[in-house]
mmCIF file of all heavy atoms in Angstrom:
data_model
loop_
_atom_site.group_PDB
_atom_site.id
_atom_site.type_symbol
_atom_site.label_atom_id
_atom_site.label_comp_id
_atom_site.label_asym_id
_atom_site.label_seq_id
_atom_site.Cartn_x
_atom_site.Cartn_y
_atom_site.Cartn_z
ATOM 1 N N ILE A 222 34.063 15.981 58.832
ATOM 2 C CA ILE A 222 32.858 15.886 58.012
ATOM 3 C C ILE A 222 31.976 14.759 58.550
ATOM 4 O O ILE A 222 32.440 13.627 58.762
ATOM 5 C CB ILE A 222 33.183 15.609 56.536
ATOM 6 C CG1 ILE A 222 34.061 16.725 55.951
ATOM 7 C CG2 ILE A 222 31.901 15.459 55.720
ATOM 8 C CD1 ILE A 222 34.586 16.428 54.563
ATOM 9 N N TRP A 223 30.702 15.065 58.750
ATOM 10 C CA TRP A 223 29.724 14.094 59.238
ATOM 11 C C TRP A 223 28.604 13.959 58.214
ATOM 12 O O TRP A 223 28.196 14.942 57.593
ATOM 13 C CB TRP A 223 29.164 14.541 60.583
ATOM 14 C CG TRP A 223 30.249 14.898 61.555
ATOM 15 C CD1 TRP A 223 30.855 16.127 61.698
ATOM 16 C CD2 TRP A 223 30.906 14.026 62.475
ATOM 17 N NE1 TRP A 223 31.840 16.071 62.654
ATOM 18 C CE2 TRP A 223 31.896 14.795 63.157
ATOM 19 C CE3 TRP A 223 30.759 12.677 62.800
ATOM 20 C CZ2 TRP A 223 32.718 14.258 64.132
ATOM 21 C CZ3 TRP A 223 31.580 12.138 63.783
ATOM 22 C CH2 TRP A 223 32.548 12.914 64.439
ATOM 23 N N GLU A 224 28.117 12.741 58.040
ATOM 24 C CA GLU A 224 27.104 12.449 57.029
ATOM 25 C C GLU A 224 25.831 11.929 57.704
ATOM 26 O O GLU A 224 25.891 11.125 58.629
ATOM 27 C CB GLU A 224 27.635 11.407 56.050
ATOM 28 C CG GLU A 224 26.678 11.068 54.915
ATOM 29 C CD GLU A 224 27.282 10.075 53.926
ATOM 30 O OE1 GLU A 224 28.373 9.519 54.224
ATOM 31 O OE2 GLU A 224 26.671 9.844 52.875
ATOM 32 N N LYS A 225 24.687 12.395 57.218
ATOM 33 C CA LYS A 225 23.404 11.940 57.762
ATOM 34 C C LYS A 225 23.245 10.441 57.545
ATOM 35 O O LYS A 225 23.459 9.936 56.434
ATOM 36 C CB LYS A 225 22.255 12.711 57.103
ATOM 37 C CG LYS A 225 20.877 12.345 57.642
ATOM 38 C CD LYS A 225 19.808 13.334 57.199
ATOM 39 C CE LYS A 225 19.652 13.380 55.708
ATOM 40 N NZ LYS A 225 18.518 14.257 55.300
ATOM 41 N N ARG A 226 22.868 9.752 58.597
ATOM 42 C CA ARG A 226 22.642 8.316 58.504
ATOM 43 C C ARG A 226 21.421 8.011 57.639
ATOM 44 O O ARG A 226 20.421 8.737 57.670
ATOM 45 C CB ARG A 226 22.433 7.718 59.902
ATOM 46 C CG ARG A 226 23.681 7.642 60.728
ATOM 47 C CD ARG A 226 23.392 7.264 62.179
ATOM 48 N NE ARG A 226 22.549 6.085 62.343
ATOM 49 C CZ ARG A 226 22.257 5.523 63.508
ATOM 50 N NH1 ARG A 226 22.753 6.048 64.629
ATOM 51 N NH2 ARG A 226 21.473 4.454 63.575
ATOM 52 N N GLU A 227 21.501 6.928 56.884
ATOM 53 C CA GLU A 227 20.344 6.515 56.093
ATOM 54 C C GLU A 227 19.181 6.121 57.000
ATOM 55 O O GLU A 227 18.006 6.299 56.645
ATOM 56 C CB GLU A 227 20.719 5.352 55.174
ATOM 57 C CG GLU A 227 21.705 5.747 54.070
ATOM 58 C CD GLU A 227 22.023 4.587 53.153
ATOM 59 O OE1 GLU A 227 21.469 3.485 53.383
ATOM 60 O OE2 GLU A 227 22.832 4.772 52.215
ATOM 61 N N ASP A 228 19.502 5.605 58.186
ATOM 62 C CA ASP A 228 18.460 5.206 59.130
ATOM 63 C C ASP A 228 18.304 6.253 60.248
ATOM 64 O O ASP A 228 18.121 5.907 61.414
ATOM 65 C CB ASP A 228 18.767 3.835 59.723
ATOM 66 C CG ASP A 228 20.054 3.815 60.551
ATOM 67 O OD1 ASP A 228 20.906 4.715 60.359
ATOM 68 O OD2 ASP A 228 20.202 2.919 61.410
ATOM 69 N N TRP A 229 18.363 7.527 59.888
ATOM 70 C CA TRP A 229 18.290 8.607 60.883
ATOM 71 C C TRP A 229 17.011 8.524 61.720
ATOM 72 O O TRP A 229 16.963 9.004 62.843
ATOM 73 C CB TRP A 229 18.368 9.967 60.180
ATOM 74 C CG TRP A 229 17.321 10.167 59.110
ATOM 75 C CD1 TRP A 229 17.482 9.939 57.788
ATOM 76 C CD2 TRP A 229 15.982 10.614 59.292
ATOM 77 N NE1 TRP A 229 16.317 10.218 57.107
ATOM 78 C CE2 TRP A 229 15.384 10.640 58.007
ATOM 79 C CE3 TRP A 229 15.220 11.002 60.385
ATOM 80 C CZ2 TRP A 229 14.053 11.040 57.812
ATOM 81 C CZ3 TRP A 229 13.909 11.390 60.199
ATOM 82 C CH2 TRP A 229 13.333 11.403 58.930
ATOM 83 N N GLN A 230 15.962 7.873 61.176
ATOM 84 C CA GLN A 230 14.706 7.745 61.934
ATOM 85 C C GLN A 230 14.878 6.902 63.188
ATOM 86 O O GLN A 230 14.066 7.009 64.120
ATOM 87 C CB GLN A 230 13.609 7.102 61.062
ATOM 88 C CG GLN A 230 13.316 7.845 59.771
ATOM 89 C CD GLN A 230 14.067 7.245 58.590
ATOM 90 O OE1 GLN A 230 15.196 6.758 58.744
ATOM 91 N NE2 GLN A 230 13.444 7.285 57.422
ATOM 92 N N ARG A 231 15.917 6.069 63.233
ATOM 93 C CA ARG A 231 16.108 5.167 64.365
ATOM 94 C C ARG A 231 17.012 5.798 65.432
ATOM 95 O O ARG A 231 17.722 5.107 66.146
ATOM 96 C CB ARG A 231 16.688 3.837 63.897
ATOM 97 C CG ARG A 231 15.803 3.141 62.867
ATOM 98 C CD ARG A 231 16.105 1.659 62.754
ATOM 99 N NE ARG A 231 17.495 1.348 62.395
ATOM 100 C CZ ARG A 231 17.976 0.111 62.308
ATOM 101 N NH1 ARG A 231 17.184 -0.933 62.552
ATOM 102 N NH2 ARG A 231 19.232 -0.090 61.973
ATOM 103 N N THR A 232 16.961 7.104 65.527
ATOM 104 C CA THR A 232 17.751 7.843 66.517
ATOM 105 C C THR A 232 16.844 8.829 67.243
ATOM 106 O O THR A 232 15.809 9.253 66.697
ATOM 107 C CB THR A 232 18.902 8.620 65.854
ATOM 108 O OG1 THR A 232 18.359 9.691 65.067
ATOM 109 C CG2 THR A 232 19.738 7.713 64.958
ATOM 110 N N PRO A 233 17.191 9.245 68.468
ATOM 111 C CA PRO A 233 16.367 10.229 69.181
ATOM 112 C C PRO A 233 16.205 11.539 68.416
ATOM 113 O O PRO A 233 15.117 12.120 68.408
ATOM 114 C CB PRO A 233 17.117 10.438 70.495
ATOM 115 C CG PRO A 233 17.837 9.142 70.719
ATOM 116 C CD PRO A 233 18.255 8.702 69.341
ATOM 117 N N LEU A 234 17.265 12.012 67.750
ATOM 118 C CA LEU A 234 17.139 13.247 66.977
ATOM 119 C C LEU A 234 16.174 13.049 65.822
ATOM 120 O O LEU A 234 15.388 13.948 65.482
ATOM 121 C CB LEU A 234 18.510 13.696 66.469
ATOM 122 C CG LEU A 234 18.534 15.041 65.728
ATOM 123 C CD1 LEU A 234 18.034 16.167 66.624
ATOM 124 C CD2 LEU A 234 19.943 15.356 65.218
ATOM 125 N N GLY A 235 16.198 11.877 65.221
ATOM 126 C CA GLY A 235 15.286 11.588 64.118
ATOM 127 C C GLY A 235 13.831 11.587 64.533
ATOM 128 O O GLY A 235 12.940 11.821 63.707
#
Side-chain angles (χ1 to χ4, degrees):
I222 300 172
W223 310 87
E224 182 177 9
K225 182 167 62 175
R226 287 170 50 175
E227 292 182 0
D228 63 339
W229 56 265
Q230 303 97 326
R231 301 200 302 177
T232 69
L234 184 59

